[in-house]
């Protein structure tokens, strides 16, 4: 059982002061093995905070990030799954599933995690899964109205991944979960 | 000086040896029940205490040896059967001792037994002893002698419930005895200051402080006498003690004893005698550290108040607050030379007291702050760091107590205190305020409070002095400004009119921040305003405010001004992003012209200010992405903007980037909405253009490196073909797709091309996608069926 925290679009300090207190109290150091962050933190303080939760931190560049040297995309293998990470402002039309699927094919990953729309989504298509953890602070978005703060926790176990989404709705944390199963194990590239 | 200590060591050793010597013979006498001998040797032993050569801490050691021996002697005296002399006679007998000091020690020892025997009333014996001790006027010797008297009499006082209480003997007599002993001891103690060899003042004061507890013990005893109730304390004990304290006119004694009184007697007593206690303070020597005494008192009373809610009414009843603040006022007034840090520490103690005892009385809190302001006004330039720290403590106290900045903001004197801080400290305090707001997740919701708040934190918002900004460490400056940026999001009211006022006030203050601060503050404020626009979108009709009607249009005017100010920094990349955000917001409000203006501004920035190639790539994608979502533009406007976007895309520095930007533009001609544009032809034109660029890039790579560049671009374009094919763009044929696949295969297997696993995998998954679509069945499957692989 490997826990991966996926979150992004915090937009601190430009659009939000801080993570919601209820989220802060849930995110405790030492419980998570990896953190993948879609971008738009935006300042170093946020990176430092995430680092305290888990030292294995992966970040891709959002268009408002103070640190311009984060990569545009990132891929990593966790257990049997290949994960891809990208902020998503590079994929036009923004939030379009088919265009995101193209990126997924390009990165050759089972799970693609992107942000930018501040809207939680989790789609399964024949090529794999596309997840958007939304905005962890519920930051303003030109794309999505009524943004609820949200983040995603993935539990990777063998060929199965359970995606838990935590959403703050009217002051209460609501949890939902979605199951995904891979049909074949990851093979190493033989080219 | 070393010589002196060595001598003292020698004398002490001699003294101890002497005591041991005579004690030996005394013991022999005791064992043989020889009273006469016992008296003789004990007197000789006690003569060792007649020395004047020892400093207090060494005399103490000598005294303790003698004390132990006297205990054994007392046992002997007590047992009449051993020596056959009645205690009354014994009392008379010991007075024949030659020298006065041994005589008095022996007298006290017998006196102890005398009282125990009850042959005479306790009060009479005690009175006799305390007066006889006057015979020893040497400070150190006298103090120890009286200390001995205090020790042996301790359990024999005619207290309530004690066996020594009688009709004639009452608590009053016990109190009288202790008071008298105390008075005499204090006089001796004070005399030490002026007597003895003309040594260094510090040395004398050190020696005196070694003896202070001997004097203080009497107060202890008084506090433990059962019969001393509040009444007696109020009427007799306190007035008499204070009389001695004031009249002795010695600053060392006064300071110690005031402190002792406060520590030793119960807090309820202090509350009830507050007036008396406080009235003594101005009467003390000017060199006494009265402010510390008052601080101690207030701290004790604060703790008392905190211990239980039941005691709070008492505070009100005795009007503790006004008494204390008057006393403090008088002290500060009287001691003109009191350093700032002292006065402010006093106010901190008073404020702590007020917050504990009268938390609901904001007027009291404000009064304390006001008094502090008055004091600060009399100081031309407050430079003392410790004083500054105390002012920060003063201002932090209400924040911590109320956990709510809004309460602190209602205190009229709060900003006035802050005005007296130097810039550095003002900033420190401003950060404390902001952190308090963050920690408590506070929300400030009225314009006037926001105004007060921003006045308070003005040190962070703008340069007050020219000196500052350069001196500040960049990291620290960033932290400061990020805090201000975060703060802006805690200012919120869901009434649009009020919210607009808030935004305007913040803008007014932050505009003066200068180019270094604007990037931080403008961003936050812009998004705050955009949220308001979003809110208005949801409401019906315009909201007519007092001065400014709250319409999206009005807010967009504000937004434009705010973003325009970034040109002073300059911050073109940020400004471009913000203009695009506004464009989208204007789109949502159906304001075509406003949205168009924003795009124009964005393009101007792109053309003229953004030179870095990487920045350009991101910028053009943001423009394309935003434009793609616009539905408010008429054909002409849309065409103009699209043309510009495509043009700039094709002119990016690197071919790879050109290609990607151009095929991104294809989406500008196809929007999946019901009423969205679906211009298949122009989509295809874009894709073909992208293809040409990809080809050119491939050629260039061949020429430059002798082998082909990555084939990825072709696969990307293929995917775009498939995207529009799937969406039903008739211009994209299956043969075109087949042709493209063939091209990719050719390029891949070309000799000059180096193998690339990434584009291979990409192509493979693309082909898989086509297969999958074929197997889907129904319309989609049919369509894909036509693609021959």
């Amino acid at each position: 059982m490997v826990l991966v925290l996926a979150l992004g679009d915090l937009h601190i300090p430009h659009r939000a002061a801080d993570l919601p207190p209820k989220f802060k109290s849930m995110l405790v150091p030492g419980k998570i093995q990896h953190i993948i962050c879609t971008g738009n933190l935006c300042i170093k303080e946020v990176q430092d905070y995430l680092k305290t939760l888990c030292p294995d931190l992966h970040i891709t560049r959002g268009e408002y990030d103070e640190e311009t040297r984060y990569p545009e995309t990132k891929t990593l293998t966790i257990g049997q799954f290949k994960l891809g990470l990208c902020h998503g402002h590079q994929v036009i039309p923004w939030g379009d599933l088919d265009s995101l699927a193209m990126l997924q094919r390009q990165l050759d990953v089972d799970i693609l995690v992107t942000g930018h729309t501040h809207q939680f989504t989790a789609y399964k298509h024949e090529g794999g899964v596309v997840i958007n953890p939304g905005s962890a602070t519920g930051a303003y978005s030109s794309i999505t109205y009524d943004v609820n703060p949200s983040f995603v926790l993935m539990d990777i176990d063998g060929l199965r991944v359970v995606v838990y989404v935590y959403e703050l709705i009217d002051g209460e944390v609501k949890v939902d979960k979605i199951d995904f199963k891979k049909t074949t194990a990851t093979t190493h590239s033989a080219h | 000086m070393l010589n002196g200590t060595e001598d003292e060591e020698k004398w002490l050793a001699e003294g101890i040896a002497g005591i041991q010597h005579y004690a030996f013979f005394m013991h022999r006498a005791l064992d043989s029940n020889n009273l006469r001998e016992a008296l003789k040797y004990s007197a000789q032993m006690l003569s060792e205490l007649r020395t004047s050569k020892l400093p207090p801490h060494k005399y103490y050691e000598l005294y303790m040896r003698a004390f132990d021996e006297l205990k054994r002697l007392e046992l002997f005296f007590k047992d009449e059967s051993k020596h056959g002399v009645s205690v009354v006679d014994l009392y008379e007998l010991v007075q024949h001792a030659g020298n006065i000091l041994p005589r008095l020690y022996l007298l006290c020892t017998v006196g102890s037994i005398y009282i125990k025997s009850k042959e005479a009333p306790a009060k009479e014996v005690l009175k006799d002893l305390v007066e006889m001790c006057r015979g020893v006027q040497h400070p150190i010797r006298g103090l120890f002698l009286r200390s001995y008297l205090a020790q042996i009499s301790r359990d024999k006082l005619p207290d309530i419930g004690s066996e020594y209480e009688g009709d004639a003997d009452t608590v009053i007599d016990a109190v009288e005895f202790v008071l008298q002993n105390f008075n005499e001891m204090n006089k001796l103690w004070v005399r030490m200051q002026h007597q003895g060899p003309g040594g260094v003042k510090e040395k004398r004061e050190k020696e005196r402080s070694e003896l202070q507890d001997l004097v203080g013990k009497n107060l202890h005893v008084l506090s433990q006498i059962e019969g001393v109730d509040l009444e007696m304390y109020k009427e007799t004990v306190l007035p008499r003690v204070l009389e001695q304290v004031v009249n002795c006119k010695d600053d060392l004694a006064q300071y110690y004893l005031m402190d002792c009184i406060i520590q030793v007697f119960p807090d309820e007593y202090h509350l009830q005698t507050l007036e008396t206690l406080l009235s003594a303070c101005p009467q003390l020597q000017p060199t006494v550290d009265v402010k510390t005494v008052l601080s101690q008192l207030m701290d004790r009373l604060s703790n008392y108040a905190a211990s239980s809610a039941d005691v709070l009414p008492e505070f009100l009843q005795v009007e503790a607050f006004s008494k204390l603040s008057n006393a403090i006022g008088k002290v500060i007034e009287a001691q003109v030379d009191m350093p700032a840090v002292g006065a402010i520490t006093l106010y901190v103690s008073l404020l702590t007291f007020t917050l504990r005892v009268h938390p609901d009385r904001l007027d009291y809190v404000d009064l304390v702050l006001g008094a502090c302001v008055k004091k600060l006004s009399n100081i031309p330039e407050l430079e003392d760091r410790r004083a500054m720290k105390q002012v920060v403590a003063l201002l932090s106290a209400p924040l911590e107590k109320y956990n709510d900045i809004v309460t602190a903001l209602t205190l009229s004197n709060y900003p006035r205190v802050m005005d007296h801080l130097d810039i550095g400290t003002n900033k420190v305090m401003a950060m404390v305020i902001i952190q308090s707001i963050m920690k408590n997740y506070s929300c400030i919701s009225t314009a006037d409070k926001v105004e007060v708040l921003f006045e308070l934190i003005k040190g962070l918002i703008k340069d007050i002095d020219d000196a500052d900004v350069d001196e500040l460490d960049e990291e620290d400056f960033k932290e400061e400004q990020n805090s201000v940026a975060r703060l802006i999001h805690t200012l919120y009211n869901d009434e649009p009119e009020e919210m607009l006022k808030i935004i305007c006030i913040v803008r007014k203050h932050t505009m003066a921040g200068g180019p270094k601060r604007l990037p931080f503050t403008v961003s936050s404020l812009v998004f705050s305003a955009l949220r308001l626009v979003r809110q208005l979108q949801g409401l019906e009709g315009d909201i007519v405010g007092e001065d400014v009607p709250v319409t999206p249009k009005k807010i967009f005017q504000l937004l434009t001004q705010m973003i325009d100010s970034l040109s002073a920094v300059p911050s073109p990349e940020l400004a471009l992003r913000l203009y695009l955000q506004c464009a989208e917001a204007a789109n949502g409000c159906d304001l075509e012209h406003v949205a168009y203006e924003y795009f124009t501004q964005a393009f101007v920035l792109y053309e003229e200010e953004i030179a870095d190639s990487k920045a350009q790539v991101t910028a053009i994608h943001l423009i394309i992405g935003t434009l793609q979502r616009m539905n408010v533009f008429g054909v002409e406007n849309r065409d103009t903007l699209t043309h510009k976007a495509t043009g700039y895309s094709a002119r990016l520095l690197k071919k790879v980037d050109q290609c990607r930007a151009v095929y991104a533009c294809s989406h500008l001609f196809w929007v999946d909405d019901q009423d969205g544009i679906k211009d298949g032809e122009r989509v295809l034109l874009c894709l073909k253009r992208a293809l040409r660029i990809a080809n050119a890039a491939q050629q260039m790579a061949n020429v430059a490196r002798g082998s082909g560049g990555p084939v990825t671009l072709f696969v990307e374009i293929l995917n775009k073909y498939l995207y529009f094919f799937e969406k039903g763009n008739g211009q994209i044929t299956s043969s075109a797709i087949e042709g493209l696949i063939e091209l990719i295969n050719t390029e891949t297997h070309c000799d000059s091309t180096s193998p690339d696993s990434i584009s291979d995998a990409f192509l493979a998954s693309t082909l898989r996608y086509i297969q999958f679509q074929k197997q889907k069945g129904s319309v989609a499957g049919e369509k894909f069926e036509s693609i021959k692989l």
Side-chain angles (χ1 to χ4, degrees):
Chain A
M1 177 180 101
V2 178
L3 286 179
V4 183
L5 172 65
L7 80 174
D9 288 311
L10 294 95
H11 286 282
I12 294 171
H14 307 126
R15 307 190 199 182
D18 206 354
L19 278 167
K22 288 204 166 151
F23 278 2
K24 264 197 151 163
S25 57
M26 291 171 69
L27 296 172
V28 176
K31 300 283 176 65
I32 300 160
Q33 280 77 55
H34 308 274
I35 299 184
I36 55 180
C37 184
T38 54
N40 276 343
L41 300 179
C42 304
I43 50 178
K44 188 164 181 297
E45 282 174 32
V46 181
Q47 182 185 323
D48 292 340
Y49 163 73
L50 291 175
K51 209 82 207 249
T52 67
L53 295 180
C54 165
D56 192 44
L57 175 61
H58 304 270
I59 308 176
T60 46
R61 189 183 73 92
E63 78 275 34
Y64 285 89
D65 274 312
E66 180 184 56
E67 173 64 82
T68 51
R69 290 169 304 177
Y70 296 139
E72 299 286 317
T73 63
K74 208 166 194 200
T75 55
L76 58 154
T77 307
I78 296 177
Q80 296 295 324
F81 286 86
K82 280 165 71 176
L83 288 88
L85 187 63
C86 176
H87 177 251
H89 64 269
Q90 306 93 329
V91 180
I92 292 163
W94 292 334
D96 179 67
L97 176 61
D98 295 312
S99 302
L100 289 170
M102 166 179 144
L103 178 62
Q104 184 158 19
R105 291 193 280 276
Q106 188 168 3
L107 296 176
D108 193 27
V109 292
D110 306 306
I111 303 174
L112 177 66
V113 181
T114 61
H116 189 57
T117 62
H118 298 206
Q119 170 73 44
F120 162 74
T121 53
Y123 286 127
K124 179 163 171 54
H125 59 100
E126 100 297 340
V129 178
V130 177
I131 296 175
N132 185 330
S135 161
T137 54
Y140 170 89
S141 161
S142 56
I143 300 167
T144 307
Y145 287 29
D146 299 322
V147 180
N148 288 318
S150 64
F151 67 85
V152 156
L153 202 58
M154 292 187 275
D155 183 353
I156 296 178
D157 194 359
L159 292 174
R160 184 166 169 255
V161 58
V162 183
V163 176
Y164 296 93
V165 57
Y166 295 81
E167 237 183 313
L168 189 65
I169 304 175
D170 291 329
E172 292 301 317
V173 179
K174 302 253 165 37
V175 190
D176 212 344
K177 75 172 191 175
I178 309 161
D179 253 87
F180 294 109
K181 226 179 161 104
K182 255 180 90 156
T183 45
T184 53
T186 300
T187 52
H188 290 289
S189 187
H191 298 271
Chain B
M1 274 293 102
L2 207 55
N3 233 358
T5 323
E6 273 177 23
D7 286 338
E8 287 170 4
E9 286 289 341
K10 192 178 76 160
W11 294 323
L12 175 61
E14 282 173 6
I16 292 176
I19 288 181
Q20 283 171 333
H21 175 83
Y22 293 115
F24 173 74
F25 290 108
M26 186 185 84
H27 295 161
R28 268 223 316 226
L30 296 181
D31 290 339
S32 48
N33 290 341
N34 189 335
L35 181 62
R36 266 197 66 197
E37 294 274 298
L39 288 177
K40 171 171 142 202
Y41 287 116
S42 60
Q44 282 179 313
M45 176 188 78
L46 288 164
S47 286
E48 294 296 334
L49 290 176
R50 291 174 62 216
T51 176
S52 0
K53 293 194 199 138
L54 296 175
H57 63 279
K58 291 203 161 70
Y59 188 91
Y60 173 76
E61 283 189 60
L62 201 59
Y63 165 85
M64 285 312 291
R65 301 289 176 130
F67 181 82
D68 287 337
E69 298 304 334
L70 284 173
K71 278 223 271 278
R72 297 172 75 152
L73 190 62
E74 186 180 338
L75 275 172
F76 177 71
F77 284 160
K78 199 155 84 168
D79 195 347
E80 196 178 322
S81 65
K82 289 208 171 150
H83 51 77
V85 179
S86 73
V87 70
V88 182
D89 291 335
L90 200 51
Y91 194 76
E92 206 263 330
L93 202 58
V94 296
Q95 296 189 44
H96 294 310
N99 293 306
I100 188 163
L101 192 68
R103 188 189 318 153
L104 289 171
Y105 270 104
L106 290 173
L107 195 64
C108 289
T109 312
V110 176
S112 167
I113 303 165
Y114 200 169
I115 298 171
K116 266 210 195 123
S117 73
K118 307 224 178 92
E119 300 245 356
K123 105 170 177 202
E124 305 242 348
V125 181
L126 291 172
K127 196 161 186 319
D128 199 36
L129 290 173
V130 81
E131 291 197 349
M132 297 279 269
C133 284
R134 285 220 188 124
V136 178
Q137 286 297 320
H138 181 272
I140 295 181
R141 297 199 289 263
L143 276 170
F144 277 97
L145 173 64
R146 287 191 177 272
S147 183
Y148 179 68
L149 172 60
Q151 260 172 302
I152 53 129
S153 63
R154 180 75 191 82
D155 56 342
K156 300 172 186 77
L157 299 173
D159 192 1
I160 287 179
S162 115
E163 56 183 294
Y164 303 104
E165 190 186 18
D167 294 326
D169 295 16
T170 59
V171 164
I172 275 289
D173 300 309
V175 169
E176 270 303 323
F177 166 73
V178 179
L179 278 174
Q180 206 176 344
N181 204 23
F182 164 72
N183 280 350
E184 295 302 320
M185 283 178 83
N186 194 37
K187 286 185 197 156
L188 289 169
W189 191 38
V190 170
R191 191 179 304 145
M192 265 181 83
Q193 191 67 22
H194 314 288
Q195 265 193 358
V200 185
K201 182 160 174 263
E202 279 103 51
K203 182 162 182 265
R204 212 173 294 169
E205 281 179 357
K206 181 173 175 294
E207 290 188 352
R208 281 194 61 196
S209 54
E210 284 169 10
L211 294 167
Q212 68 190 20
D213 289 336
L214 293 184
V215 181
K217 189 82 187 0
N218 293 294
L219 297 179
H220 249 286
V221 171
L222 282 170
S223 76
Q224 288 172 331
I225 296 177
E226 292 275 347
V228 173
D229 55 3
L230 176 59
E231 195 58 37
M232 190 173 295
Y233 176 78
K234 204 164 158 185
E235 300 299 319
T236 311
V237 175
L238 185 63
R240 291 275 296 275
V241 171
L242 284 178
E243 200 187 332
Q244 172 60 217
V245 170
V246 170
N247 290 343
C248 76
K249 294 203 185 351
D250 176 83
D251 51 6
L252 204 99
Q254 285 180 338
Y255 179 76
Y256 171 73
L257 290 172
M258 286 300 287
D259 187 53
C260 202
I261 293 170
I262 292 168
Q263 301 300 335
V264 151
F265 291 102
D267 297 315
E268 319 136 62
Y269 285 16
H270 294 318
L271 260 189
Q272 298 296 333
T273 56
L274 204 50
E275 195 126 27
T276 317
L277 197 56
L278 292 174
S279 59
C281 291
Q283 299 178 57
L284 301 176
Q285 301 298 105
T287 43
V288 173
D289 186 8
V290 141
K291 57 178 175 7
T292 309
V293 170
L294 285 172
S295 290
Q296 307 268 41
L297 177 61
M298 283 188 286
D299 290 342
R300 269 197 81 97
L301 292 176
S302 293
N303 288 332
Y304 180 50
S307 66
S308 123
D310 295 334
V311 309
L312 292 178
E314 235 186 290
F315 282 81
L316 294 166
Q317 183 227 344
V318 306
E319 290 174 31
F321 174 78
S322 51
K323 291 200 176 117
L324 284 167
S325 55
N326 283 338
I328 290 171
K330 288 209 187 94
V331 165
I332 291 181
E333 232 176 298
Q335 298 191 2
V336 226
D337 296 328
M338 189 193 287
V341 62
I344 300 166
T345 313
L346 261 177
Y347 284 123
V348 174
S349 294
L350 181 59
L351 186 62
T352 313
F353 171 84
T354 313
L355 289 170
R356 285 260 182 95
V357 177
H358 305 288
D360 51 328
R361 295 296 297 264
L362 291 174
D363 54 332
Y364 282 176
V365 177
D366 211 19
L367 270 172
V368 178
L369 292 175
C372 195
V373 170
K374 216 170 134 213
K375 175 69 185 172
L376 287 170
S377 310
N378 294 332
I379 304 169
E381 268 268 359
L382 192 58
E383 277 172 6
D384 181 6
R385 280 180 139 247
R386 290 175 310 152
M388 281 300 170
K389 266 182 109 178
Q390 285 300 325
V391 178
V392 172
L394 185 77
L395 292 170
S396 302
L399 291 179
E400 280 156 25
K401 174 73 187 179
Y402 297 118
N403 270 339
D404 175 14
I405 184 67
V406 182
T407 311
L409 292 175
T410 61
L411 300 166
S412 65
N413 285 310
Y414 199 92
R416 293 189 197 133
V417 176
M418 273 196 80
D419 277 340
H420 282 100
L421 294 173
D422 67 275
I423 314 297
T425 319
N426 177 291
K427 289 209 260 184
V428 168
M429 196 57 222
M431 290 297 278
V432 169
I433 290 174
I434 294 180
Q435 268 145 26
S436 164
I437 295 172
M438 291 290 136
K439 189 182 75 148
N440 297 307
Y441 298 98
S442 308
C443 173
I444 296 132
S445 55
T446 59
D448 48 327
K449 294 264 165 34
V450 172
E451 177 69 48
V452 176
L453 177 63
F454 272 73
E455 263 304 308
L456 286 180
I457 63 174
K458 62 177 173 237
L460 296 178
I461 307 292
K462 57 182 177 224
D463 298 333
I464 314 279
D465 252 305
D466 290 319
D468 308 311
V469 186
D470 300 316
E471 285 176 24
L472 194 57
D473 175 47
E474 203 189 305
E475 285 289 322
D476 290 340
F477 179 75
K478 262 195 197 168
E479 199 193 326
E480 264 180 23
Q481 296 309 309
N482 280 327
S483 297
V484 176
R486 288 162 100 148
L487 176 68
I488 291 174
H489 299 293
T490 65
L491 315 172
Y492 178 75
N493 189 312
D494 53 22
E495 282 290 312
E497 208 187 313
E498 193 68 20
M499 188 63 212
L500 184 59
K501 280 196 196 142
I502 291 175
I503 292 173
C504 290
I505 289 175
V506 176
R507 179 164 160 267
K508 179 186 78 174
H509 283 270
T510 54
M511 279 297 120
K516 277 199 165 180
R517 294 188 176 85
L518 282 175
F520 297 90
T521 51
V522 166
S523 304
S524 277
L525 204 52
V526 162
F527 285 105
S528 217
L530 284 173
R531 272 198 294 266
L532 182 56
V533 169
R534 177 73 59 78
Q535 188 190 349
L536 288 173
Q537 268 178 265
L539 299 173
E540 293 288 314
D542 287 342
I543 298 183
V544 184
E546 285 168 14
D547 326 283
V548 178
V550 188
T551 62
K553 253 206 181 149
K554 206 68 191 177
I555 302 175
F556 282 122
Q557 280 173 353
L558 257 178
L559 280 163
T560 309
Q561 284 170 2
M562 287 194 254
I563 305 172
D564 282 349
S565 70
L566 287 174
S567 60
V569 180
S571 241
E573 288 179 55
L574 177 60
L576 181 134
R577 284 153 175 72
L578 295 176
Y579 281 135
L580 292 174
Q581 290 281 343
C582 290
E584 248 188 292
N587 183 65
C589 295
D590 236 350
L591 296 167
E592 183 181 0
H593 183 69
V594 176
Y596 188 81
E597 259 313 298
Y598 282 125
F599 267 98
T600 311
Q601 291 299 322
F603 275 118
V604 166
L605 285 174
Y606 182 87
E607 285 159 47
E608 299 177 9
E609 311 269 350
I610 298 178
D612 175 69
S613 63
K614 215 174 153 223
Q616 283 186 338
V617 173
T618 308
I620 202 63
H621 276 276
L622 292 175
I623 290 174
I624 298 168
T626 311
L627 189 51
Q628 198 267 343
R629 296 172 54 78
M630 297 280 111
N631 52 30
V632 75
F633 290 131
V635 175
E636 219 182 280
N637 278 342
R638 197 183 173 85
D639 274 348
T640 313
L641 295 175
T642 310
H643 181 73
K644 269 194 154 170
T646 333
Y648 283 123
S649 298
R651 293 203 293 279
L652 286 168
L653 186 66
K654 299 185 191 151
K655 288 244 179 285
V656 176
D657 296 324
Q658 286 173 11
C659 178
R660 289 184 170 138
V662 167
Y663 75 58
C665 286
S666 66
H667 290 280
L668 292 174
F669 304 104
W670 194 281
V671 175
D672 236 354
D673 280 344
Q674 216 179 21
D675 313 317
I677 177 178
K678 287 188 179 68
D679 191 336
E681 221 176 271
R682 291 171 84 179
V683 167
L684 184 58
L685 277 172
C686 254
L687 293 181
K688 280 189 169 165
R689 195 171 177 185
L691 206 49
R692 281 199 298 280
I693 299 173
N695 263 318
Q698 191 75 326
Q699 312 281 30
M700 275 175 66
N702 279 337
V703 168
R705 266 180 268 122
S707 64
V711 153
T712 310
L713 285 178
F714 291 124
V715 186
E716 288 174 37
I717 297 170
L718 170 62
N719 274 269
K720 285 299 166 190
Y721 267 69
L722 290 168
Y723 175 95
F724 289 107
F725 182 76
E726 205 256 317
K727 295 283 179 205
N729 182 348
Q731 300 291 323
I732 300 196
T733 61
S734 46
S735 49
I737 293 173
E738 285 162 10
L740 194 45
I741 296 175
E742 207 185 299
L743 169 65
I744 295 171
N745 282 324
T746 316
E747 289 295 328
T748 311
H749 295 113
C750 177
D751 282 334
S752 53
T753 314
S754 45
D756 179 0
S757 58
I758 293 177
S759 31
D760 287 348
F762 190 11
L763 178 62
S765 55
T766 310
L767 294 175
R768 271 200 305 274
Y769 167 71
I770 298 174
Q771 282 294 22
F772 182 79
Q773 293 293 82
K774 281 179 192 248
Q775 279 145 23
K776 248 188 177 166
S778 77
V779 182
E782 267 176 44
K783 228 192 291 178
F784 275 80
E785 214 33 58
S786 57
I787 303 176
K788 309 276 183 289
L789 290 176

